[in-house]
Amino acid sequence: MDVCVPAASPDEIAAVSAALASLPDDNSALAALWKIYGAEPVRLLRTQQGRSLSRARSRRAEEFMRSLAPDAPFDWHYFLYTSGIVTQLALSSHLLDVGFPDSWCARHVGLHVDRSLAYANVTGFGYDCAETARLMQMLSPYWKWNKTRLVDDKVLDDGGFTPDQIRGLVGALIDHVCHVTGHARSRERSMRS
């Protein structure tokens, strides 16, 4: 699936940040992302089907979050891969809720959680956390952390994050998704907060 979505270089990531910072607060930021990422513009249309799929993604993100618990079996690459899955599920919950079609997200965002965060933020998500943005860049595209995909003993840069830092950042992101979308948090997660 990643073949369909070209990876962003550090220069492209810097260009995205600079372009978004210089734009007025309207749809021009979304148009800039479409241009930067070479994505097909799409009309955002909120629907009951999108809302329902959004709720399901939010719940699924919380379910996958259990794999990141301190008492879960641990393998660093699997942990990072799963972190990518959790964040993509959470961020796609917002994207679906505001009207992005699921097929568009699959085609133009793919496994790039940094793109998901960028699209979310220009559509009212409002999550300005430098460490989360850095984590999303490090994880993207998250398939690269899948141990079965690691070849030639290639060492990947994990950004110096610790498991506890990632748990905190990903947990806060899920909480924010629930807050923004209005989806109820799972009973188990609500009791831990």
Side-chain angles (χ1 to χ4, degrees):
M1 183 153 116
D2 187 59
V3 176
C4 298
V5 183
S9 70
D11 291 337
E12 289 171 319
I13 292 167
V16 168
S17 298
L20 293 177
S22 68
L23 293 170
D25 189 24
D26 60 17
N27 286 339
S28 59
L30 184 54
L33 284 181
W34 288 331
K35 185 175 181 179
I36 290 165
Y37 292 134
E40 164 190 346
V42 64
R43 182 170 179 247
L44 301 186
L45 181 63
R46 297 185 84 178
T47 64
Q48 281 300 101
Q49 181 184 14
R51 179 80 175 150
S52 178
L53 191 52
S54 168
R55 187 178 303 106
R57 293 280 169 87
S58 181
R59 287 186 187 135
R60 197 79 175 117
E62 287 187 322
E63 290 170 8
F64 265 92
M65 185 69 181
R66 293 181 198 135
S67 300
L68 304 180
D71 59 345
F74 187 81
D75 170 87
W76 183 235
H77 289 113
Y78 179 75
F79 182 86
L80 294 173
Y81 178 63
T82 304
S83 297
I85 292 170
V86 172
T87 55
Q88 189 68 305
L89 287 166
L91 290 167
S92 71
S93 174
H94 170 78
L95 296 177
L96 294 165
D97 194 52
V98 298
F100 282 94
D102 194 27
S103 59
W104 185 93
C105 291
R107 201 169 43 255
H108 296 289
V109 175
L111 305 178
H112 292 270
V113 290
D114 55 341
R115 291 181 190 186
S116 287
L117 182 60
Y119 280 115
N121 278 332
V122 300
T123 55
F125 191 58
Y127 202 69
D128 186 26
C129 172
E131 281 300 285
T132 298
R134 189 171 77 84
L135 176 63
M136 298 304 103
Q137 289 174 1
M138 182 274 293
L139 290 174
S140 291
Y142 67 84
W143 64 260
K144 70 184 176 187
W145 298 105
N146 186 345
K147 199 169 190 172
T148 61
R149 297 262 185 161
L150 294 175
V151 292
D152 303 327
D153 295 321
K154 188 177 184 183
V155 177
L156 299 172
D157 182 9
D158 63 12
F161 286 101
T162 67
D164 286 338
Q165 287 173 316
I166 292 173
R167 282 185 199 103
L169 292 169
V170 173
L173 186 70
I174 289 174
D175 289 344
H176 190 73
V177 167
C178 291
H179 173 75
V180 171
T181 62
H183 299 316
R185 295 184 330 173
S186 73
R187 188 172 215 153
E188 177 184 321
R189 186 153 173 80
S190 296
M191 293 191 310
R192 285 196 314 251
S193 297

